[in-house]
Structures are given as C-alpha cells and as structure tokens.
Amino acid sequence: MFVSLVIVLLYGIGFIASDTLQSNNLSVPFYVAILAGVTAALSFVGRQWIAKEYIVPVAIAVYGLLATTTGLLVIDTGFTTSPFIALWMLIGLFAGLFGLYVLSIVAVVINGYLLADLVFLHTINNTEQFIIFLLAYELPLVASFFLWRKKNREESSEEKTYTALAQELSQVANKSEIVINAIDEGVIAVDGQGVIQLINPAAQGTIGWGKQDALKLDYRSVLKLKDKNGKSLEPSQDVVQKTLATNEPSASNDLTLETNSGKRLLVSVHVSPVGQIGSGCIIVFRDITEEKKEEREQAEFISTASHEMRTPIAAIEGYLGLALNPHTAVIDDKARGYIGKAQESVQHLGRLFQDLLDVSRLEDGRLTNHPKVIDVGAFAQDVTNGFMISAKDKNLALIYKPGISNGKEKQLAPVFYAEVDADHMREVLSNLIENAIKYTQEGSITVDLTGDNEHVKVSVKDSGIGIPPEDVSHLFQKFYRIDNSSTREIGGTGLGLYLCRRLVEVMGGRIWVESDYGKGSTFFVEIPRLDHQTAVDRIEREKEQGPQITTMHDTPPPTV
Ligand code: ADP
C-alpha cells in the first residue's frame, strides 16, 4: 500500500513541480497513477475487512497489481535507464514471498518482455544495457528465490503438521459424534449461558425437537423439566442450573419432562460439568416412565402379598406359642425342640414380610413422615433398653454410654433435640442394635451420642464379625447381604440397612459405617439438630395446642 501511495503521491507532485520531475524522468503517467490508486485501495480493504481465509489470494492480487504498476512505470520511464529501477528491484525481491508459482509467473513475464524487446522493441541494444537488465530485473528474482525458499519450506512443514493435526482432530470429533449419536440416552451439551451446543438423536426423539431447531436455544425452552407433580422447578431443584453455578455434578430421578407435543415423561437426569466453571455442562437424561410404572406395580404386588401373608403367619405363630405353652398343651421335649425351631423360622418369616411391606411402602411413596420434637438421647436410651434381654440371651453387654460415670464423678448426659418422625428413628436404631447383636458372638455393644451445633450423631458400636472393606460401599443397597463363612449361618433379608438409609434420608440425615474386619463395626446415624430454645418453644406450644407432638420430656429440658 505504501509503495502504491508513493506512486500516486509522485503523480500528484507532478502537477505542482512538473518541470523538476520531468527533468529527472520522475513524472508518473496517469494510467499508472490510477493502477497505483486501485492497488492502494485494494490493499487497504484487504487489511480492514477481508476474512482471514481470503487474505492470501487478496495479498497475491495486490502484489500482482503492484508489480504490474511498477513494471509499467519502469517501462514508461526508460526501462533500463528508468529512475524507478530501485523500486522494481524492491518489488522483485518480494515475489518469492508468495511461493514458487508467483515467482515463476513474474520470471516468465520479465523474460517474455526481454524476448519481445530483443526481437521487436530493441530498447536493449548493447551489452551494458543487457547487464543492467540482468542486475535490475533478474537478480532480485534470484535473490528472492533464495531469500524466501527457507521460510516457505518451514511454513509448508508447519502447514503439514497443522493439516495433520486438524485431520486428527476432525477424526476424533467424528468418532465422538458417532459415539454420542449411538448413545440411546438423551445427551445435550450446553455452554456456560445454558445455550444448546449439541443434541444427540436420542434427545431429539425423546423431546420431539429437531436438531436445527434446538441448537443455539436456551436449554429451558427445549428441555422443559418440571417437578414430579408437573410444577415449575424451584431454583434448588434445577439440576442444570446447580451444575452451571457450582461446577459440581448433579442428578435427579424425581423430575418430569414436558415434550414438544405436551406429553409428560418421568426422567432420570444426570448433569456433569465441562472444564472450568462457566464453561458449560453435559446433560444426560433417560425416560424412566415405564421403569417407574413397573416398579410401582412390583411394589404394589409385594405389598399386597406381604400384607395377605402376615395374617396366616400370625396365626401359625400363635398356635405354635400355644403348643409350647405348658398351660395349654402337653408335648414331649423332642416335639418342643422341633416346635421351638418352627417358631423361630416363622418369626423370621414375619420379619421378612414386615421388611418387604416397609420397603414397598417406602418405594411407592406411601411412607408418611410426621416430624416431632424428640430428645434424641432419651429416645436412643429407650430403644437400647428394649434390647437388653436379647443381648443378655447372647451373653453380650449392651451399654448406653452417654452419662455413664467415668469412675470419679457422675457425668451429665448431653441433651440434643431433633425434629424427626419418631417411628422412623425407632426403626433405624432398632435395626442397627438388632444387627449389632445378631453379628456379634462375644463382647459388647455400645450406643453413644454426640453432636455439634448443627447435627446429632448416634453411634452403635459392636465387637462382632466386622465387615470386609469391599462390602462397605454396597451395604446400604437393597437385598445386599455379605456372603462369607461368618454370615452364612445367620439369617436375614438384606433389607434392614437399605430401609435404614432410606428412612435416615427422609429425616434429612445420613448413615454410614466404619469397620475393622474381624474386630467389629460402628454404624453412625447423623440427623439435623434442633437448637435448644426452638425445641423448648415448640414443646411448650404443642402442650398448649394439644398432644400432636409427643416428646420424651414433660418438663422443660435442661440446657446442654
Ligand atoms: P440382614 O437382614 O441380612 O441383616 P441388613 O440390611 O440389616 O440385612 O444387613 C446387610 C448385611 O450387612 C448383613 O447381611 C450383614 O452381612 C452385614 N451387617 C449388618 N450389620 C452388621 C454388623 N453390625 N456387623 C457385621 N455385619 C453387619
């Protein structure tokens, strides 16, 4: 652009100082000035507005125009005697910059002109002029060839690496697309603003949106997630927002999805963050309407069957009790032994049906939750006392630890309140103490209570068989039982700990176990604590309103 502007400028000066320029042969013809102007304009447009991918052809065009302008200028001002030779030499030096093709074209044009000159024009008519021609017109091209060759080579090897890399990337991208498209779960990728960047065919099929319609839209207008009753989601329920805001994975099996045709589906949604916070996330979802329906039907069947079977079992248990009672029946010792065993098995069967009933009630949503204020310490002690006889029958010491004297002085048991369903809490603690007795052959079981401002923690520690580390993570799953030589003889359903976990979750708490295999286990239940003053106020209020809330304390409790 600079060179062409200089030419235009020289043409302009020609008007003011035409004599001086003409005497130096520096005057620029009009058509050359026009060409130079076009060149300058094109190079300016190229710099400012042309897209990156067109920059090379435009640069070559600018160079071509500039070379033509300078060539014509040189020819017009005396060729081998032109004062613009230096300008041409400069332009010639850059021919190699655009590669061998452009350099060759320039060389062909120059040598073509030389030939034409030698045959027709005869401007070059002695050796001196021929040498000037070689030095001024051929030498810059040769120099240009060597000057840019190395650079072009480097660039072309860089280009090759770049092409190979681009090919590899595009192959990987193709493969990923094939994989994502083959997944039969809905996959949607959104950016940090929640705008859809990718939607796979399964997602399109489930939601009823086409790819082109869904891309670049906010995910909320395509993936219309609602709560299980079909109402709009609270911010805390929106798993996608949660992941976008925290960059943590989130999931829910409790949401419904409204499809494009207005149909409502039950869905399981998993959201995983991508990269840094604000980069976006991947939403994977699955229609679980059928699954849930089957589960509900299964739970209903189990519930009805268990309910119906409990009546005959209760009758069998009653009659076996009568048979064993010396006041109502006379049987010999052998028969007593058999009937005793039959009674144990029937009791086990009764417990199994009770567990099945509880689980099915939990799973089809029939489980009620009536939170009441309880003094957790007094409550746990009460539940523990209920197991004293069965512990004694196995020669085990069952200890309720809080408040036990440490030898010198009597310690005060801490008082922690919680607002939970007392039936749920009783079932959880009973299950844990029952298991502790069941899986301990000798030693002791200790129930303890601790807490902080936020939580109350009850622990049940035993000196029993312990739990192998590989089983710990599966322990709270439905029907999971550890199958090894120490457990095989002990009957059970594998439902107790699953029920405990679900009930503790309903109470807003958590349950876990720490165990030393072969030495014993400690189960922990942690629930939210109700602060002392609120607990006292609620107890007082309930007293005034009537007996809806039952507590373990009738008198206002002491401060912790
Ligand atoms: P089960 O009816 O079989 O006792 P649970 O769900 O209560 O079912 O317990 C699941 C499994 O966990 C049991 O089969 C047992 O192997 C193991 N387990 C539970 N409590 C204890 C414990 N205190 N000590 C050792 N193992 C235990």
Side-chain angles (χ1 to χ4, degrees):
M1 189 167 84
F2 177 72
V3 175
S4 24
L5 281 178
V6 168
I7 298 172
V8 176
L9 195 72
L10 275 174
Y11 176 75
I13 295 172
F15 283 110
I16 310 157
S18 53
D19 291 350
T20 332
L21 288 188
Q22 252 158 29
S23 63
N24 291 318
N25 220 0
L26 275 173
S27 73
V28 175
F30 177 66
Y31 74 95
V32 173
I34 293 286
L35 258 179
V38 172
T39 312
L42 186 64
S43 85
F44 180 74
V45 170
R47 266 189 77 93
Q48 297 295 318
W49 293 295
I50 299 293
K52 246 185 179 165
E53 58 261 39
Y54 302 119
I55 210 89
V56 174
V58 171
I60 292 175
V62 169
Y63 180 78
L65 268 174
L66 188 64
T68 313
T69 310
T70 322
L72 289 172
L73 184 64
V74 168
I75 292 166
D76 212 291
T77 51
F79 196 29
T80 46
T81 57
S82 169
F84 294 105
I85 282 183
L87 194 61
W88 169 259
M89 288 174 83
L90 189 69
I91 302 296
L93 263 181
F94 282 91
L97 172 66
F98 302 98
L100 207 58
Y101 292 123
V102 175
L103 185 69
S104 315
I105 291 170
V106 178
V108 166
V109 172
I110 287 182
N111 288 303
Y113 185 80
L114 171 71
L115 213 65
D117 190 274
L118 291 177
V119 179
F120 308 110
L121 307 172
H122 307 294
T123 327
I124 301 169
N125 44 25
N126 56 40
T127 327
E128 192 189 330
Q129 277 177 340
F130 191 72
I131 290 172
I132 292 177
F133 175 84
L134 286 182
L135 287 177
Y137 297 93
E138 302 279 11
L139 191 66
L141 296 186
V142 177
S144 174
F145 173 75
F146 289 108
L147 188 70
W148 299 106
R149 191 177 63 156
K150 194 167 165 260
K151 190 162 186 304
N152 284 342
R153 257 199 212 148
E154 278 168 11
E155 265 174 17
S156 84
S157 87
E158 257 173 40
E159 212 166 273
K160 268 188 201 148
T161 323
Y162 173 79
T163 318
L165 207 66
Q167 259 175 4
E168 207 172 303
L169 275 176
S170 103
Q171 273 174 6
V172 172
N174 282 344
K175 275 184 198 157
S176 319
E177 195 165 342
I178 290 168
V179 172
I180 289 169
N181 287 349
I183 295 173
D184 73 342
E185 304 205 342
V187 180
I188 293 181
V190 299
D191 65 12
Q193 276 69 48
V195 176
I196 298 178
Q197 303 297 327
L198 177 151
I199 176 164
N200 77 338
Q204 296 163 36
T206 311
I207 310 176
W209 276 73
K211 184 175 175 180
Q212 291 315 323
D213 300 328
L215 285 179
K216 307 291 172 212
L217 286 185
D218 187 293
Y219 77 92
R220 276 167 289 212
S221 45
V222 176
L223 190 72
K224 291 178 190 148
L225 292 173
K226 309 268 155 124
D227 72 4
K228 59 180 172 202
N229 302 317
K231 298 211 180 83
S232 302
L233 293 185
E234 298 284 323
S236 60
Q237 293 174 303
D238 192 332
V239 277
V240 182
Q241 278 304 319
K242 217 187 276 177
T243 298
L244 286 177
T246 59
N247 219 34
E248 296 283 328
S250 48
S252 174
N253 283 331
D254 249 0
L255 299 177
T256 56
L257 171 72
E258 197 182 297
T259 66
N260 203 10
S261 57
K263 210 166 120 191
R264 254 177 54 199
L265 306 173
L266 281 168
V267 282
S268 149
V269 187
H270 288 255
V271 190
S272 316
V274 183
Q276 304 286 316
I277 191 161
S279 306
C281 60
I282 307 277
I283 309 163
V284 180
F285 62 95
R286 188 163 55 89
D287 178 3
I288 52 168
T289 316
E290 271 305 305
E291 232 170 85
K292 284 272 176 193
K293 192 172 150 230
E294 276 169 23
E295 257 177 38
R296 227 182 3 255
E297 285 169 358
Q298 222 174 37
E300 259 169 39
F301 171 74
I302 292 173
S303 160
T304 319
S306 321
H307 196 79
E308 291 303 317
M309 282 190 234
R310 271 196 329 169
T311 321
I313 284 171
I316 296 170
E317 209 181 331
Y319 283 117
L320 291 177
L322 285 176
L324 287 172
N325 187 340
H327 300 294
T328 48
V330 183
I331 48 171
D332 62 22
D333 285 349
K334 215 170 178 183
R336 185 173 296 281
Y338 293 148
I339 294 176
K341 290 241 178 312
Q343 197 187 32
E344 270 174 30
S345 295
V346 162
Q347 278 166 351
H348 176 62
L349 202 60
R351 272 200 306 277
L352 172 66
F353 283 126
Q354 185 56 49
D355 281 355
L356 284 173
L357 253 179
D358 289 342
V359 167
S360 64
R361 213 177 285 151
L362 239 176
E363 296 197 331
D364 64 10
R366 280 183 297 130
L367 189 89
T368 51
N369 188 36
H370 299 298
K372 295 170 184 176
V373 179
I374 59 165
D375 170 349
V376 184
F379 192 90
Q381 187 165 22
D382 188 53
V383 178
T384 310
N385 288 341
F387 286 92
M388 286 301 174
I389 296 174
S390 32
K392 204 164 163 238
D393 283 350
K394 269 189 90 175
N395 271 330
L396 299 170
L398 176 57
I399 305 153
Y400 181 72
K401 198 174 168 199
I404 283 186
S405 127
N406 64 1
K408 293 185 202 127
E409 57 197 68
K410 176 100 181 98
Q411 284 192 336
L412 208 64
V415 178
F416 295 106
Y417 288 98
E419 196 169 26
V420 289
D421 188 309
D423 289 340
H424 295 349
M425 190 68 183
R426 184 175 295 279
E427 179 141 12
V428 170
L429 295 183
S430 300
N431 257 325
L432 295 184
I433 300 173
E434 205 178 310
N435 272 351
I437 296 171
K438 196 158 93 175
Y439 296 104
T440 303
Q441 300 315 325
E442 55 182 29
S444 62
I445 290 128
T446 310
V447 179
D448 201 357
L449 177 77
T450 53
D452 56 27
N453 287 341
E454 314 264 295
H455 305 104
V456 191
K457 191 163 75 184
V458 182
S459 60
V460 178
K461 182 176 182 198
D462 64 53
S463 57
I465 58 173
I467 297 157
E470 65 272 19
D471 288 304
V472 168
S473 60
H474 305 288
L475 219 55
F476 298 94
Q477 289 168 2
K478 206 192 306 184
F479 295 117
Y480 194 84
R481 302 205 67 223
I482 299 168
D483 184 21
N484 59 27
S485 54
S486 31
T487 58
R488 214 156 288 147
E489 297 301 309
I490 308 170
T493 62
L495 286 171
L497 290 180
Y498 169 71
L499 258 172
C500 286
R501 173 172 69 80
R502 296 292 303 263
L503 292 174
V504 171
E505 281 167 5
V506 168
M507 292 189 283
R510 60 190 189 110
I511 184 168
W512 71 99
V513 63
E514 286 167 12
S515 184
D516 205 350
Y517 186 42
K519 293 194 178 145
S521 323
T522 310
F523 283 81
F524 298 91
V525 173
E526 189 178 72
I527 50 172
R529 181 182 175 182
L530 191 65
D531 76 85
H532 190 84
Q533 196 50 51
T534 318
V536 173
D537 291 348
R538 287 202 190 157
I539 291 169
E540 286 300 321
R541 188 153 21 102
E542 286 311 320
K543 265 192 190 161
E544 284 161 19
Q545 285 174 355
Q548 283 129 316
I549 291 182
T550 53
T551 72
M552 300 300 291
H553 275 284
D554 283 339
T555 48
T559 318
V560 182

